[in-house]
Amino acid sequence: MSLEFLNAFRFMKKKSFLHNLDPRAKLVLALTYTINALLFNQIIPLLIIFLSLIPLVMIGRILKQWIKSIRGLSFLALFIIILNTLFISLSFAVAMILRIYIMVSAFSIFFLTVDPNDLALSLISMKIPYEFAFSFSLAFRFVPTIATEAQNIIDAQQSRGYEMQKKGFVNQIKNLFPLLIPLIICSIRRAFNVAEALESRAFGSTKERSYYYTIKYTLKDWIFTFCLLMFLILWIFIRIQFSLMPDWFLWRLPI
Amino acid sequence: MGKNGAGKTTLIRTLNGLIRPSSGDVYINSENINSKSIAELSRFVGLIFQNPFHQLFANTVEEEIKFSLKNLFLNKDELQTKTNEILSNFNLDKYRDRSPLNLSGGESKKLAIASIICRDPEILVFDEPTLGQDAQEIESFIKLISSEKEKGKTILIITHNVEFAYEYIPRTILMGNGEIIADGPTQNVLNNDFLTEKSSLILPQTQQLSLALQEIGLQGIRKNISKNDIIRYLINLLKNKTISAQEE
């Protein structure tokens, strides 16, 4: 079913250079790429930025999941193409798609390589109160849970004769509507359950918490952050000195 | 029957296409179902999930039943009368406007069963129907399956409840590690202590009792004796004892 793309945001324990980095360094990565994507609306620079993500994905060994997340966006991409081509131009549409792909990929790298527990820790190290940090990491963990919940409802509806396997794009979209309300209700109920479970385990009973393990910004994190910042400065420079760039840099589609 | 993780639920989920087999084919009424959609199959195979809350999703009990019936393309009046009929048959009238998610364990299970049975499939598949049910609820479930059986339906039940299976189910298939390890009349399968131990079940109480009685040297207990017969046997035994005691 079409919900598989939610897996694109599900963390899996793996050993790789990216996985071993500090979560904050990876947050810098996501932000750097987001800013870079927002700097330009020409195809070529955005394409270069997008392609520069691919080696990172390879290093993180998350190629399969990343491709899934990109594929999950195809519906949105279609909308962008249709609307932008109608109102502005095709090359702008392509640029916008690249922009959204860059941002989603950057954050999917972040979500795929950051352990939810580390995420809470890194938020706390940024002086965010534990309650908020915890609920953030919990929300993060909730995505796959909602996906399972949705699959249950789909199974239930289908086994009572609701036709969902009709082929065709429009049908696939239409099928998602009867799913929405039950899914929201189930998720709210699930949230109440989680709250009860937390309270029964004395969540928030003490102000000061101690931690089983802590995270550290090591040398390789500093180097990584430094490279990212150089990368960011480079692109900001290009943006400011745009007139110095060769002609092919400003290439546009004829329409 | 079989151990947890033996593959029972996986097997029954292949029956209506929720899981497609990675190799091999599934045949229902000697028709290969590989190319059929789950919705098509749901006309033949009614699957009742283990957790009723996974099966219920509508806002009210009434809508829950209506959802199943709508997919049969009835007209409006038929839909309403059929819904009312089902609700009163299952004693769910009084919950009509309640949310299915707020029902008790027994009621929600009943509703889940009602929502499948109202579609009238030929094959009914239950996943752990006796789980978390009180004695009365189990009794009404037994009544339900025997009336469905009289209508000529095929009924397939996954259960860990040895006594229930021993009393009411004529044929038992034991599974382990995704394979069938025994298949035969329930009495033969469940009275076999090698098989029951292998699938972490216990022998039915009648079998345990008759083994214990044989051990202390009592004769005349038939193999595969039924519950009522062993009760009668014990009563006779005790009567004779008291008579002989009085004589002395």
Side-chain angles (χ1 to χ4, degrees):
Chain A
M1 200 36 223
S2 53
L3 289 156
E4 250 191 7
F5 76 91
L6 282 175
N7 272 339
F9 293 100
R10 186 196 222 149
F11 171 76
M12 266 180 240
K13 261 203 158 58
K14 273 182 191 168
K15 278 233 169 338
S16 80
F17 173 71
L18 268 186
H19 283 77
N20 290 336
L21 280 178
D22 189 287
R24 284 163 290 186
K26 278 174 276 190
L27 189 63
V28 174
L29 170 84
L31 291 177
T32 307
Y33 271 93
T34 311
I35 294 169
N36 278 343
L38 293 174
L39 283 177
F40 299 94
N41 50 23
Q42 288 80 8
I43 295 178
I44 297 296
L46 285 172
L47 191 64
I48 296 172
I49 296 170
F50 182 67
L51 291 178
S52 72
L53 274 167
I54 292 171
L56 278 173
V57 173
M58 304 285 249
I59 294 171
R61 292 168 45 200
I62 46 174
L63 193 65
K64 247 192 209 154
Q65 287 158 294
W66 176 72
I67 289 170
K68 254 187 208 162
S69 75
I70 294 289
R71 243 191 312 180
L73 278 177
S74 49
F75 179 50
L76 190 63
L78 194 76
F79 258 111
I80 294 176
I81 287 209
I82 293 170
L83 290 178
N84 280 304
T85 324
L86 277 180
F87 293 110
I88 306 170
S89 70
L90 184 62
S91 37
F92 189 73
V94 173
M96 287 306 106
I97 288 169
L98 280 171
R99 182 182 273 184
I100 206 155
Y101 274 3
I102 292 170
M103 293 199 268
V104 169
S105 317
F107 274 95
S108 95
I109 290 176
F110 178 73
F111 284 126
L112 285 172
T113 56
V114 174
D115 191 321
N117 299 320
D118 286 353
L119 183 72
L121 282 176
S122 62
L123 287 173
I124 290 159
S125 71
M126 288 187 259
K127 298 281 179 275
I128 289 168
Y130 179 71
E131 280 81 2
F132 294 101
F134 181 75
S135 40
F136 186 68
S137 69
L138 200 64
F140 198 16
R141 223 218 116 306
F142 230 63
V143 174
T145 316
I146 290 176
T148 341
E149 202 87 51
Q151 194 57 56
N152 277 334
I153 297 170
I154 291 172
D155 285 355
Q157 290 180 335
Q158 284 187 312
S159 42
R160 274 196 259 159
Y162 185 71
E163 187 60 72
M164 273 194 172
Q165 289 170 319
K166 267 187 234 150
K167 289 273 147 40
F169 197 61
V170 181
N171 277 327
Q172 293 264 326
I173 301 298
K174 257 207 269 182
N175 287 340
L176 290 177
F177 287 109
L179 181 72
L180 278 179
I181 292 167
L183 185 60
I184 291 168
I185 294 171
C186 284
S187 310
I188 293 172
R189 283 175 59 88
R190 181 61 66 105
F192 277 120
N193 288 345
V194 171
E196 276 167 18
L198 280 175
E199 272 169 5
S200 62
R201 283 192 254 166
F203 179 75
S205 59
T206 50
K207 277 265 169 305
E208 284 293 309
R209 275 184 62 99
S210 57
Y211 297 96
Y212 179 53
Y213 66 103
T214 49
I215 47 171
K216 243 196 220 141
Y217 223 70
T218 55
L219 183 66
K220 67 170 185 245
D221 297 316
W222 282 116
I223 294 170
F224 189 69
T225 316
F226 179 75
C227 294
L228 281 172
L229 288 179
M230 289 329 286
F231 187 64
L232 179 63
I233 289 167
L234 173 74
W235 283 106
I236 291 177
F237 179 76
I238 291 173
R239 178 76 180 89
I240 294 168
Q241 300 295 330
F242 217 65
S243 48
L244 296 180
M245 290 299 126
D247 278 347
W248 57 265
F249 215 71
L250 293 167
W251 176 80
R252 296 165 51 92
L253 288 168
I255 18 168
Chain B
M1 301 179 91
K3 263 187 198 170
N4 280 330
K8 308 184 292 294
T9 303
T10 311
L11 178 69
I12 62 160
R13 284 170 88 87
T14 59
L15 293 183
N16 76 342
L18 286 176
I19 298 175
R20 301 290 176 179
S22 51
S23 65
D25 297 307
V26 182
Y27 290 88
I28 303 258
N29 291 340
S30 61
E31 242 183 287
N32 192 335
I33 64 162
N34 270 357
S35 58
K36 291 199 167 173
S37 78
I38 302 171
E40 278 175 284
L41 285 170
S42 73
R43 297 203 156 203
F44 309 104
V45 185
L47 177 62
I48 288 111
F49 297 177
Q50 179 171 1
N51 185 345
F53 294 113
H54 287 170
Q55 191 146 27
L56 304 174
F57 49 81
N59 283 335
T60 63
V61 169
E62 193 177 348
E63 277 176 40
E64 197 71 61
I65 302 289
K66 276 187 177 165
F67 183 91
S68 309
L69 293 172
K70 256 181 212 161
N71 299 321
L72 293 175
F73 307 108
L74 301 170
N75 67 36
K76 233 179 178 180
D77 294 337
E78 278 176 336
L79 187 73
Q80 192 60 48
T81 39
K82 192 91 193 276
T83 310
N84 291 342
E85 194 188 305
I86 294 283
L87 284 175
S88 62
N89 278 354
F90 279 84
N91 276 329
L92 289 163
D93 262 337
K94 48 185 178 282
Y95 303 115
R96 190 180 276 269
D97 295 319
R98 286 253 301 263
S99 161
L101 301 172
N102 290 335
L103 295 176
S104 74
E107 303 296 349
S108 59
K109 202 128 202 173
K110 212 152 76 178
L111 178 58
I113 294 173
S115 72
I116 294 295
I117 284 192
C118 67
R119 296 176 54 77
D120 214 29
E122 281 169 53
I123 303 166
L124 286 167
V125 187
F126 296 89
D127 196 348
E128 298 268 13
T130 59
L131 201 74
Q133 303 285 80
D134 62 32
Q136 237 171 26
E137 283 161 354
I138 293 182
E139 203 156 299
S140 67
F141 173 71
I142 289 160
K143 264 187 207 141
L144 176 83
I145 54 169
S146 49
S147 81
E148 289 297 319
K149 201 172 136 194
E150 269 164 32
K151 288 184 206 160
K153 304 272 169 75
T154 307
I155 296 168
L156 200 65
I157 299 176
I158 288 183
T159 184
H160 284 288
N161 192 332
V162 177
E163 297 305 321
F164 167 75
Y166 192 72
E167 272 310 279
Y168 303 103
I169 316 286
R171 175 179 164 195
T172 296
I173 298 170
L174 278 185
M175 281 186 70
N177 262 333
E179 279 168 15
I180 291 174
I181 49 180
D183 179 3
T186 302
Q187 291 187 331
N188 293 353
V189 174
L190 289 183
N191 282 342
N192 183 327
D193 52 354
F194 171 74
L195 287 175
T196 47
E197 198 174 317
K198 203 171 165 192
S199 36
S200 73
L201 297 166
I202 45 167
L203 288 173
Q205 283 174 3
T206 45
Q207 179 70 4
Q208 286 180 34
L209 184 61
S210 61
L211 285 179
L213 291 177
Q214 276 164 9
E215 217 162 83
I216 57 170
L218 285 171
Q219 299 298 317
I221 301 169
R222 275 188 294 115
K223 210 182 154 201
N224 295 343
I225 191 167
S226 77
K227 195 160 133 194
N228 289 334
D229 284 348
I230 207 161
I231 290 173
R232 214 169 299 138
Y233 175 86
L234 282 176
I235 288 173
N236 279 336
L237 199 72
L238 290 172
K239 261 189 196 156
N240 292 338
K241 270 267 164 64
T242 38
I243 291 165
S244 56
Q246 277 169 355
E247 278 170 0
E248 283 169 16

